[in-house]
Amino acid sequence: KFSDPEDRLSGSDWEEDEDDVEAALKKEVGQIRASTKQNLRRFQSVESGANNVVFIRTQGIEPENLVHHILKDMHTTKKKKTRVILRMLPISGTCKAFMEDMKKYTETFFEPWFKAPNKGTFQIVYKARNNSHMSREEVIKELAGIVGSLNPENKVDLSNPQYTVVVEIIKTVCCLSVVRDYVLFRKYNLQEVVKSSKEDAQQNPSSLTEKQNSEIIKPETEEEEKSSKEVKEENK
């Protein structure tokens, strides 16, 4: 929850003449309507609490569908439509960034994608900002266990999963989403998704074919690789 300075009613607005009650009521109603209209905007910026991170609250819009549509359009047209935005991630749910809160919340949050009869292959990506008390390995292990408990047929796939569980920790808030085509859309990177296969191959030389290169995400560190293997083994 937050409020902008213009949302607040100043003390002077309430200091009306006692004999002019009708005018005071009209002004109060006008202030309330203006405040309500402001809070119901389709897109509203919210202070994220982290440098270089902009959080946009939406009204009446499913963020995962909106962001997927944007990435799909950029991937198809190869038209660069932004110079300053690196990644765009939808956030479908939030909870406190403590393990017990996250476990309790995700047991319900994951149901639309992973609870039987629904099933799919998945991977979990994790990033923390301004937070040092969470353990990346513990979070991935616990959340992967919850996905497996919802349906044993859910399997880890680090090469080309159907779903990617995005976990973004910002201070004491855990932001969650389950996205599609995370590999195809280059980790939802708006700068990379518009590159042609030829450009990508020139900037990232590899013995892999272009098709393989577009389908595989390598662990960023040895620690991540080790953690990914542990999760995969536990879900076999």
Side-chain angles (χ1 to χ4, degrees):
K1 295 183 179 180
F2 80 109
S3 61
D4 291 325
E6 61 260 33
D7 292 337
R8 307 189 187 102
L9 302 177
S10 64
S12 60
D13 295 328
W14 294 93
E15 296 174 1
E16 300 292 338
D17 193 305
E18 293 181 358
D19 297 330
D20 198 5
V21 177
E22 184 178 357
L25 288 174
K26 285 183 178 179
K27 188 165 187 176
E28 181 182 348
V29 170
Q31 292 275 12
I32 293 173
R33 286 178 177 173
S35 178
T36 301
K37 185 177 181 181
Q38 167 115 10
N39 290 332
L40 292 180
R41 289 183 301 181
R42 293 180 69 197
F43 302 97
Q44 190 166 6
S45 178
V46 180
E47 179 60 43
S48 69
N51 293 333
N52 303 319
V53 178
V54 178
F55 192 100
I56 305 296
R57 183 170 63 188
T58 61
Q59 179 72 27
I61 296 172
E62 294 184 2
E64 61 270 23
N65 290 338
L66 173 64
V67 175
H68 187 273
H69 175 80
I70 293 172
L71 268 294
K72 183 178 180 181
D73 174 67
M74 295 180 69
H75 180 266
T76 302
T77 64
K78 298 300 180 183
K79 291 183 179 180
K80 190 174 182 179
K81 301 182 179 181
T82 176
R83 291 186 297 119
V84 297
I85 301 176
L86 181 63
R87 300 176 74 209
M88 182 179 288
L89 292 173
I91 300 300
S92 304
T94 60
C95 63
K96 293 181 180 179
F98 297 96
M99 201 64 253
E100 290 304 314
D101 295 276
M102 293 170 63
K103 289 167 63 176
K104 183 177 180 180
Y105 182 77
T106 53
E107 285 174 356
T108 303
F109 177 78
F110 287 153
E111 288 183 356
W113 299 276
F114 301 116
K115 185 176 182 179
N118 297 328
K119 63 180 180 179
T121 57
F122 72 98
Q123 67 171 345
I124 298 175
V125 296
Y126 173 93
K127 186 174 182 63
R129 297 178 175 86
N130 300 346
N131 180 296
S132 58
H133 75 270
M134 297 297 296
S135 166
R136 178 185 180 278
E137 292 74 17
E138 182 184 4
V139 170
I140 292 177
K141 179 181 178 180
E142 294 291 345
L143 297 190
I146 291 172
V147 173
S149 68
L150 292 173
N151 187 342
E153 294 187 31
N154 293 320
K155 301 296 181 182
V156 172
D157 184 345
L158 303 180
S159 299
N160 191 22
Q162 292 175 267
Y163 303 108
T164 295
V165 178
V166 177
V167 183
E168 292 274 335
I169 306 292
I170 303 177
K171 288 188 173 181
T172 59
V173 178
C174 173
C175 301
L176 293 160
S177 60
V178 179
V179 301
R180 296 168 289 148
D181 298 321
Y182 189 76
V183 176
L184 178 65
F185 294 159
R186 310 299 173 87
K187 302 183 181 181
Y188 277 39
N189 186 311
L190 275 64
Q191 306 299 324
E192 295 293 327
V193 76
V194 297
K195 293 181 180 179
S196 65
S197 299
K198 185 177 180 180
E199 289 176 330
D200 187 61
Q202 290 175 345
Q203 294 189 18
N204 300 282
S206 171
S207 59
L208 297 174
T209 64
E210 288 181 2
K211 181 178 179 181
Q212 288 174 321
N213 205 29
S214 66
E215 291 180 347
I216 296 177
I217 291 182
K218 297 180 180 179
E220 297 178 357
T221 64
E222 294 181 1
E223 185 179 350
E224 291 184 9
E225 185 175 10
K226 180 180 178 182
S227 176
S228 300
K229 289 179 179 179
E230 291 175 353
V231 171
K232 191 169 184 179
E233 290 174 358
E234 289 182 2
N235 283 272
K236 286 183 178 180

